[in-house]
């Protein structure tokens, strides 16, 4: 297919039109009167900004698809609100079937208390219920679920117990695998969930997702990607990040070769060094300011994490280490630098790298360690100063300092934790409501998080919007150059091109 996007303005360039043939850009021009071959589809850019296709460098589209199918608890502001949405679902649930939901946030509840099983037991006597917190690191179970999973006898900090010694229904972190693996998964449901998410992602201008595959449902999720790929149903491209337990399965099934080219490529291995700040499970060097006895949880010893990074490296994969607290970030830097020295040829990266004091920031830069950052956290983490105190919170999400130190930081949503919309992400990075204002990015830097940095934090080198570059493009509905960042969040998407195909377009396309 030959495609001409004209009457637009390529971000930061003079180019006013781009000609695509097959999967590559074959020509660019600043001459509005140029002639193009017949049978070319012409897209009128209407003066909008065209840029390299937006990429989300860390999201969980299968979990988001699952959330869209189940109870969406985002936006509830009390246990009563949570109960209302659960009761509505319970009326239609078949006895014995799992009822699941996601998105509650006790930080928005009066008294900021975590809900417990007794808050929901009376309305769910016949069904096991699992309701995941917005960050995906904590789940609330009812008594029926605790019984059916046989969890009462488990030991460990991940299983919260009340004064009576019984489980409260709150289960955290690594123990979540016990819960999720017991839930029903299917290839068909995973596939339809993903396609549902794609529609939204394309509407937001995304062309590629770095897709985190879950530990609990990896067979079904990889199966869904394989079947959607072979039926040609995918509109976007996926760089897949596997849980370590899927490595053997992927090599046994030959998925490494099968997923060797767009639209689905195996990119890396996702490892978790710690939990989350919201749940006070991120590993800190000093205790939480609002919980003085607690420094969070490291999931692995230094040796264990190094071994896992080494294993990923040896298998030819990029390691993507989730590290939020400064103690976890330090551990991740140690593990990656031990394996890859100062050049980091495999582009190993730290997911989040949230609390980054100057000593760790310069170490990350020194060892060429990349980062995947989530600008929306800046506007959402209204409790950050409570958790960390003023002094430490100044080193939370230091985006500008990271870029200035030379760290390749790519933008992402961590969806469904935050909206998948990269326009809102770039807006959050450039307006930075709350937290240290000196860390604000220019709009150009903020868009760079989702274009050049995200591309190079995957498997490719960034080639921009020029001849010979892959034809992945996003067309905004207005000219954003020179726009005040505060206005940027209102910008819409007119067209999206993935591998030379026009996959989403509100523009006037004509042959
Ligand atoms: Zn994540």
């Amino acid at each position: 297919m030959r495609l001409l996007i004209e009457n637009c303005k390529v971000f930061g360039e003079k180019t006013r039109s781009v000609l695509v043939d097959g999967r590559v850009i074959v020509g660019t021009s600043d001459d509005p009167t140029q002639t193009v071959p017949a049978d070319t589809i012409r897209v009128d850019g209407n003066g909008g900004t065209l840029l390299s296709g937006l990429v989300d460098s860390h999201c969980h589209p299968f979990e988001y698809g699952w959330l869209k199918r189940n109870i969406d608890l985002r936006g509830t502001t009390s246990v009563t609100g949570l109960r209302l949405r659960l009761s509505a679902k319970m009326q239609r649930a078949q006895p014995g079937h799992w009822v699941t939901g996601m998105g509650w946030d006790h930080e928005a509840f009066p008294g900021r208390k975590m809900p417990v099983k007794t808050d929901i037991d009376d309305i769910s006597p016949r069904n096991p219920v699992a309701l995941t917190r917005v960050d995906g690191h904590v789940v609330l179970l009812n008594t029926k679920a605790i019984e059916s999973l046989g969890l009462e006898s488990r030991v460990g900090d991940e299983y919260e117990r009340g004064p009576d010694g019984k489980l409260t229904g709150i289960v955290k972190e690594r123990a979540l695998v016990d819960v999720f693996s017991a839930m029903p998964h299917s290839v068909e449901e995973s596939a339809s969930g993903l396609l549902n998410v794609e529609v939204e992602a394309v509407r937001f201008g995304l062309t590629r997702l770095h897709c985190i595959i879950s530990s609990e449902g990896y067979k079904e999720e990889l199966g869904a990607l394989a079947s959607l790929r072979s039926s040609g149903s995918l509109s976007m491209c996926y760089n897949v990040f596997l849980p370590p337990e899927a490595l053997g399965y992927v090599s046994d099934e030959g998925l490494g070769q099968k997923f060797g080219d767009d639209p689905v490529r195996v990119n890396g291995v996702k490892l978790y060094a710690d939990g989350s700040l919201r749940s006070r499970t991120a590993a800190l060097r000093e205790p939480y300011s609002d919980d003085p006895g607690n420094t969070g949880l490291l999931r692995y010893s230094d040796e264990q994490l190094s071994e896992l990074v080494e294993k990923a490296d040896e298998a030819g994969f990029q390691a993507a280490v989730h590290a939020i607290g400064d103690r976890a970030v330090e551990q991740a830097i140690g593990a990656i630098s031990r394996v890859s020295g100062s050049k980091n040829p495999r582009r190993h990266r730290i997911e989040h790298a949230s609390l980054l004091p100057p000593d760790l920031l310069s170490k990350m830069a020194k060892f060429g360690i990349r980062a995947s950052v989530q600008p929306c956290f800046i506007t959402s983490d209204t409790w950050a100063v409570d958790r960390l105190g003023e002094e430490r919170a100044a080193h939370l999400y230091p985006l500008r300092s990271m870029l200035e130190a030379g760290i390749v930081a790519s933008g992402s949503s961590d969806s469904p934790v935050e909206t998948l919309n990269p326009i809102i992400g770039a807006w959050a990075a450039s307006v930075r409501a709350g937290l240290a204002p000196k860390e604000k990015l220019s709009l150009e830097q903020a868009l760079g998080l989702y274009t050049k940095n995200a591309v190079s934090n995957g498997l490719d080198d960034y080639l921009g919007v020029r001849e010979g570059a892959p034809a992945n493009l996003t067309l905004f509905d207005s000219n954003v150059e020179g726009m005040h960042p505060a206005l940027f969040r209102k910008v819409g998407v007119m067209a999206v091109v993935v591998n030379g195909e026009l996959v989403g377009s509100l523009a006037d396309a004509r042959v």
Side-chain angles (χ1 to χ4, degrees):
M1 181 164 87
R2 204 162 29 226
L3 191 67
L4 178 75
I5 302 172
E6 58 189 339
N7 186 24
C8 61
K9 171 77 171 59
V10 173
F11 193 78
E13 315 261 345
K14 286 202 178 121
T15 311
R16 301 218 153 259
S17 70
V18 171
L19 183 64
V20 166
D21 197 352
R23 293 164 73 138
V24 283
I25 295 172
V26 294
T28 60
S29 171
D30 54 8
D31 174 10
T33 61
Q34 65 175 324
T35 50
V36 289
D39 77 351
T40 301
I41 295 175
R42 303 178 79 124
V43 177
D44 182 358
N46 204 21
T49 297
L50 182 72
L51 64 172
S52 174
L54 299 174
V55 177
D56 187 314
S57 68
H58 175 137
C59 58
H60 306 257
F62 287 105
E63 284 177 27
Y64 187 33
W66 183 80
L67 168 69
K68 282 175 161 248
R69 274 198 314 277
N70 293 288
I71 315 172
D72 186 351
L73 296 166
R74 290 176 299 177
T76 46
T77 54
S78 63
V79 169
T80 313
L82 180 151
R83 281 172 58 89
L84 274 174
R85 292 196 201 173
L86 176 60
S87 322
K89 182 83 178 182
M90 293 314 303
Q91 285 164 16
R92 300 188 303 272
Q94 287 195 40
H97 281 210
W98 275 90
V99 172
T100 56
M102 191 174 183
W104 57 269
D105 181 1
H106 67 287
E107 293 295 336
F109 294 177
R112 298 173 164 193
K113 264 181 56 194
M114 287 248 198
V116 289
K117 64 184 180 188
T118 45
D119 288 325
I120 55 172
D121 273 345
D122 61 319
I123 51 172
S124 56
R126 295 194 307 271
N127 297 76
V129 174
L131 305 176
T132 312
R133 206 187 110 85
V134 66
D135 59 1
H137 289 263
V138 179
V139 68
L140 168 66
L141 302 174
N142 68 349
T143 295
K144 199 85 189 154
I146 294 170
E147 284 170 5
S148 77
L149 296 172
L151 297 180
E152 196 59 61
S153 57
R154 301 290 172 93
V155 286
D157 286 353
E158 291 96 346
Y159 298 94
E160 190 184 272
R161 288 181 186 277
D164 60 356
K166 291 243 165 76
L167 293 183
T168 62
I170 290 291
V171 174
K172 301 177 187 175
E173 304 299 335
R174 255 199 291 196
L176 296 185
V177 175
D178 295 342
V179 178
F180 291 124
S181 51
M183 285 180 188
H185 295 269
S186 77
V187 171
E188 294 70 28
E189 274 186 345
S190 302
S192 73
L194 187 70
L195 290 181
N196 215 342
V197 171
E198 260 198 351
V199 173
E200 187 176 322
V202 168
R203 195 156 46 84
F204 293 150
L206 287 161
T207 57
R208 180 182 296 278
L209 303 180
H210 291 192
C211 164
I212 313 289
I213 298 289
S214 75
S215 306
E216 310 79 33
Y218 67 84
K219 287 184 187 162
E220 293 77 12
E221 293 170 18
L222 293 169
L225 282 168
S227 84
L228 293 172
R229 183 196 169 107
S230 65
S231 62
S233 314
L234 293 170
S235 302
M236 303 177 64
C237 293
Y238 295 84
N239 290 23
V240 167
F241 285 80
L242 303 165
E245 45 278 62
L247 280 176
Y249 177 77
V250 164
S251 67
D252 292 349
E253 301 284 311
L255 288 178
Q257 289 84 40
K258 200 167 179 184
F259 291 162
D261 192 11
D262 280 342
V264 185
R265 291 189 275 170
V266 179
N267 196 124
V269 180
K270 166 89 186 288
L271 305 166
Y272 284 87
D274 68 348
S276 76
L277 283 172
R278 294 181 207 232
S279 310
R280 297 190 191 83
T281 48
L284 302 180
R285 285 166 161 174
E286 303 294 332
Y288 281 86
S289 300
D290 56 1
D291 189 3
N294 180 14
T295 53
L297 299 168
L298 278 180
R299 292 203 179 186
Y300 301 110
S301 68
D302 293 356
E303 292 69 33
Q304 285 170 326
L305 187 66
S306 293
E307 260 173 47
L308 287 166
V309 171
E310 198 170 354
K311 216 169 148 189
D313 190 273
E314 278 170 1
F317 292 132
Q318 188 178 26
V321 185
H322 165 119
I324 286 184
D326 46 4
R327 191 154 56 106
V329 173
E330 189 166 24
Q331 190 191 45
I333 293 172
I336 293 173
S337 61
R338 234 166 276 143
V339 172
S340 66
S342 62
K343 295 232 160 52
N344 193 13
R346 288 239 195 269
R347 311 182 189 188
H348 296 312
R349 45 187 237 197
I350 297 182
E351 307 304 292
H352 314 301
S354 307
L355 183 55
L356 201 60
D359 65 310
L360 296 181
L361 191 140
S362 38
K363 266 193 184 168
M364 262 186 92
K366 181 178 154 199
F367 292 114
I369 299 171
R370 284 131 188 275
S372 167
V373 297
Q374 298 71 36
C376 282
F377 288 3
I378 301 164
T379 43
S380 300
D381 294 1
T382 47
W383 35 261
V385 175
D386 298 347
R387 294 279 188 283
L388 300 169
E390 294 272 350
E391 214 175 297
R392 273 191 299 187
H395 301 134
L396 191 64
Y397 314 125
L399 300 187
R400 193 177 196 105
S401 302
M402 290 170 91
L403 296 183
E404 282 172 0
I407 296 170
V408 182
S410 53
S412 66
S413 62
D414 204 3
S415 168
V417 178
E418 299 286 351
T419 169
L420 202 50
N421 190 345
I423 292 168
I424 302 293
W427 166 81
S430 51
V431 300
R432 203 173 175 89
L435 302 176
K438 73 178 176 52
E439 297 292 350
K440 272 183 199 173
L441 300 186
S442 68
L443 194 53
E444 187 179 0
Q445 287 173 315
L447 287 170
L449 299 180
Y450 295 90
T451 51
K452 68 175 193 279
N453 292 8
V455 169
S456 71
N457 271 355
L459 293 162
D460 301 314
D461 292 324
Y462 179 71
L463 298 176
V465 183
R466 60 181 157 90
E467 206 177 313
N472 295 316
L473 299 161
T474 301
L475 177 65
F476 289 147
D477 65 359
S478 37
N479 181 4
V480 305
E481 275 181 62
M483 181 181 270
H484 190 283
L487 300 176
F488 181 68
R489 71 173 289 161
K490 296 279 182 216
V491 168
V493 171
M494 232 192 316
V496 174
V497 176
V498 179
N499 280 326
E501 300 274 335
L502 195 60
V503 295
S505 172
L506 303 175
D508 175 26
R510 61 187 190 274
V511 180

